[in-house]
Amino acid sequence: MSSSATLPDRGTVELLAKDLPAYCPNSKMPAWSSHPRVFLDVTHGDGARCPYCGTHYRLKAGEVVRGH
């Protein structure tokens, strides 16, 4: 995929802190549309977008991620 290609807008998935680590494809996606699993860092900025399908993942407003 070239850097000028745009990904389709697959919507936004809001996650709770307990849902981390974030990965795509998520368990609610149909198996026929699967791609390799990728882990996404949603703890910085406005979340992360899957490089395969374009789904945007972010933490739900007010969620706090605590370290170990």
Side-chain angles (χ1 to χ4, degrees):
M1 178 186 304
S2 71
S3 60
S4 62
T6 57
L7 294 171
D9 182 4
R10 297 282 178 113
T12 299
V13 176
E14 289 191 320
L15 302 168
L16 301 174
K18 69 177 184 170
D19 297 327
L20 298 180
Y23 59 87
C24 191
N26 66 60
S27 61
K28 294 180 182 175
M29 293 179 163
W32 61 265
S33 68
S34 289
H35 55 68
R37 180 178 284 188
V38 292
F39 289 89
L40 305 163
D41 183 2
V42 298
T43 60
H44 299 94
D46 189 35
R49 187 169 299 278
C50 175
Y52 287 100
C53 69
T55 302
H56 180 238
Y57 292 83
R58 70 176 175 214
L59 285 174
K60 189 171 182 172
E63 282 297 298
V64 176
V65 178
R66 292 186 169 81
H68 293 262

